[in-house]
């Protein structure tokens, strides 16, 4: 086999204790890697792993000095490691509850960064000023859509301080249990959006006979109608046409008041970010995710909040998070949610049981543990101050966890319901996600994808892989973009109008 030596180091070593490195570019078989003293035995796709030492069958495979699986066969230096020879298995984890907790060194208020936000009566600040149209049941979806589409760009031109009128449509509200967690979850998700700091006013549309009864919903969530929270019931007002016309009239009244609210300087402590990753690749955990983690550390030092979620994509490395918990109780709350997911997914062909999506596999991720290892790096290095179940209001500052599924629209919906007024979304394969009323900032993990999909990507973290930027420098760049978009700069997804269809409350339980 001929040997070729590349002038640029074709691999990235993440930790001295690792027995693998990651291919910076596509590497052909027979390429010498002097920094590791090995020659590739196979073609290695970009973002995939190369063995740097012999690994006997059954021995751990280490990346970031963390076990990501076990050798399914005897592996020799230079071998390609992927799903065919890196297998998942249970192993004993030391949870070290709260032993590595580090309290954030929060800056004095006068030294904190600022942005231009919309002030709210409760002391919070919004990054956007929107009017939302909500439905108690899918039967009211068409009414909500017709109302929102009436208020197009031309009609909103005379309201420069209003960022949009958006319908939040879901498929639930009837054919479900009339009590219990599924209905409670739907209600608190809707209420979280209605109370959201980016929501200036809300109209709630109902049919009239649904199980998610309008009056009971309002009572359960302590919502009271007023000038900026109105309702319309189709069966009471005379049907679809009358409901649409009433809705238009209500929104027109709200627009006048919403437009009077103007941005003003606000401390970055009022920024709450939902952390997301989707369409991950082998570089996500090397560039975009840890760079976002650096930005999270900066935000936390400035008094802000970040929500790390996607519980099923934190499995396998949960012990690295429990050790950072503020207390043993908080650590155990997180493990209780991990165990719920493991029990719920027993016997199912789902990610938490090992196999990641085809796109993740093509990008170089062998299993869910490797994906979790990279995904967790979005949370930076500070302590974890609280654990929340899906869509509950987030009241703690700093880094917190929220239990959500791994599916991005469902996960981000829970974070926004909890109060996130921005979403930061890392991607290696090229997710085109967007969200309302909280804008999404998308971070590309590699320059190839960023160049190909620049119309969707806000920041190129591939500069880390290319050696053009350090993680610290990328963190500063991301934080600066967070402040700019929080102050009104449009994100790429906003420019494209992406986000209305991505409202997706978590559906749990049976439909009948």
């Amino acid at each position: 086999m001929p040997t070729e030596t590349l002038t640029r180091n074709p691999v990235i070593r993440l930790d001295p204790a690792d027995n693998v490195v990651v291919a910076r570019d596509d590497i052909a078989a027979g390429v010498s890697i002097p920094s590791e003293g090995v020659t590739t035995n196979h073609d290695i796709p970009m973002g995939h792993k190369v063995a740097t030492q012999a690994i006997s069958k059954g021995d751990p495979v280490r990346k970031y000095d963390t076990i990501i699986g076990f050798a399914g066969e005897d592996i020799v230096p230079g071998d390609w490691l992927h799903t065919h020879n890196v297998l998942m298995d249970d192993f004993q984890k030391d949870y070290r509850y709260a032993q590595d907790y580090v309290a954030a060194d929060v800056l004095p208020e006068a030294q904190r960064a600022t942005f231009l936000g919309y002030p709210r009566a409760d002391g919070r600040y919004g990054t956007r000023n929107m009017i939302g149209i909500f439905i108690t049941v899918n039967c009211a979806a068409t009414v909500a859509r017709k109302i929102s589409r009436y208020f197009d760009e031309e009609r909103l031109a005379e309201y420069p301080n209003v960022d949009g009128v958006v319908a939040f449509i879901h498929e639930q509200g009837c054919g479900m249990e009339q009590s219990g967690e599924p209905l409670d979850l739907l209600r608190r998700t809707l209420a979280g959006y209605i109370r959201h700091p980016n929501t200036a006013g809300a109209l709630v549309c109902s049919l009239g006979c649904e199980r998610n009864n309008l009056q009971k919903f309002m009572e359960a969530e302590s919502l009271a109608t007023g000038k900026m929270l109105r309702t319309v019931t189709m069966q009471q007002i005379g049907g679809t046409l009358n409901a649409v016309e009433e809705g238009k009239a209500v929104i027109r009244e709200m627009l006048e008041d919403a437009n009077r609210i103007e941005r003003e300087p606000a401390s970055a402590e009022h920024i709450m970010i939902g952390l997301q990753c989707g369409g991950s690749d082998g570089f996500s955990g090397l560039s975009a995710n840890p760079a976002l983690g650096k930005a999270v550390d900066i935000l936390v030092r400035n008094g802000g909040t970040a929500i790390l979620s996607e519980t099923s994509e934190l499995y396998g490395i949960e012990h690295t998070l429990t050790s950072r918990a503020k207390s043993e109780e908080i650590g155990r709350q997180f493990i209780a949610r991990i165990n719920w997911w493991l029990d719920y997914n027993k016997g199912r062909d789902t990610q938490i049981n090992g196999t990641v999506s085809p796109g993740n596999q093509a990008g170089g991720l062998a299993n869910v543990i490797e994906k979790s290892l990279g995904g967790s790096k979005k949370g930076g290095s500070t302590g974890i101050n609280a654990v929340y179940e899906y869509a509950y209001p987030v009241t703690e500052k700093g880094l917190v966890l929220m239990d959500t599924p791994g599916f991005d629209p469902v996960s981000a919906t829970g974070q926004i319901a909890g109060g996130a007024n921005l979403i930061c979304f890392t991607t290696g394969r090229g997710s085109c996600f967007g969200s309302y009323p909280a804008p999404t900032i998308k971070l590309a993990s590699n320059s190839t994808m960023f160049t190909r999909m620049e119309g969707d990507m806000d920041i190129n973290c591939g500069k880390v892989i290319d050696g053009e930027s350090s993680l610290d420098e990328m963190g500063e760049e991301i934080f600066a973009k967070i402040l700019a978009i929080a102050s009104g700069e449009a994100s790429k997804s906003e420019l494209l109008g992406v986000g209305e269809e991505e409202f997706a409350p978590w559906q749990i339980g049976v439909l009948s």
Side-chain angles (χ1 to χ4, degrees), residues 95-96 98 308 314 317-326 331 334 372 376-377 379-380 383-384 399 401:
Y95 291 130
R96 293 175 49 81
L308 182 64
L314 296 174
I317 54 84
E318 63 271 21
H319 55 296
T320 68
L321 298 175
T322 54
S323 66
R324 292 167 53 189
K326 187 175 183 179
F334 177 52
S372 297
S376 67
K377 293 189 177 298
I384 296 168
L399 178 64
L401 301 177

Side-chain angles (χ1 to χ4, degrees), residues 95-257:
Y95 291 130
R96 293 175 49 81
Y97 291 113
Q99 292 185 34
D100 299 326
Y101 175 76
V102 177
D105 185 15
V106 180
L107 294 169
E109 190 169 350
Q111 297 179 26
R112 295 175 192 171
T114 60
F115 72 105
L116 295 175
Y118 289 104
R120 302 302 181 199
D122 61 3
R124 294 182 298 172
Y125 280 83
T127 63
R128 294 295 181 269
N129 195 39
M130 307 190 83
I131 293 177
I133 306 171
F134 301 90
I135 58 174
T136 57
V137 64
N138 185 257
C139 307
T142 297
V143 166
R145 286 245 189 265
K146 285 181 177 292
I147 297 169
S148 69
R149 287 172 180 167
Y150 176 80
F151 294 97
D152 56 16
E153 187 174 341
E154 183 178 345
R155 286 192 171 96
L156 290 179
E158 59 184 292
Y159 305 102
N161 292 329
V162 177
D163 294 302
V165 176
V166 177
F168 294 94
I169 304 303
H170 59 86
E171 298 178 355
Q172 302 178 60
C174 215
M176 61 194 304
E177 296 174 276
Q178 297 185 75
S179 61
E181 179 60 8
L183 185 58
D184 290 346
L185 185 151
L186 174 61
R187 286 176 170 173
R188 70 174 178 261
T189 302
L190 293 171
Y193 271 66
I194 291 169
R195 292 194 182 97
H196 197 277
N198 290 4
T199 303
L203 170 65
V204 184
C205 302
S206 69
L207 176 60
C209 58
E210 58 268 33
R211 294 188 180 182
N212 184 25
N213 176 268
L214 175 61
Q215 182 177 346
K216 290 182 178 179
F217 160 61
M218 300 287 282
E219 291 173 353
E221 295 300 328
S222 300
L223 294 169
T225 57
K227 197 171 185 181
M228 301 303 284
L229 175 55
R230 306 281 290 276
T231 66
V232 60
T233 299
M234 297 163 64
Q235 291 172 350
Q236 291 179 1
I237 204 167
T240 300
L241 181 60
N242 288 351
V244 171
E245 292 307 312
E246 174 67 13
K248 290 178 184 177
V250 166
I251 298 299
R252 287 191 196 97
E253 294 174 13
M254 290 185 183
L255 283 169
E256 297 290 345
D257 286 315

Side-chain angles (χ1 to χ4, degrees), residues 1 11 13 19-21 23 27-33 36-45 48-55 74-81 84-85:
M1 180 185 294
V11 298
R13 171 164 285 279
N19 49 18
V20 302
V21 289
I27 309 175
V31 169
S32 173
I33 306 175
E36 301 297 333
V38 301
T39 298
T40 54
N41 301 321
H42 311 94
D43 291 342
I44 313 293
H48 288 234
K49 296 171 290 299
V50 186
T52 58
Q53 56 187 260
I55 310 173
D74 288 339
I75 292 168
V76 300
D79 276 359
W80 172 41
L81 286 89
H84 62 290
N85 58 5

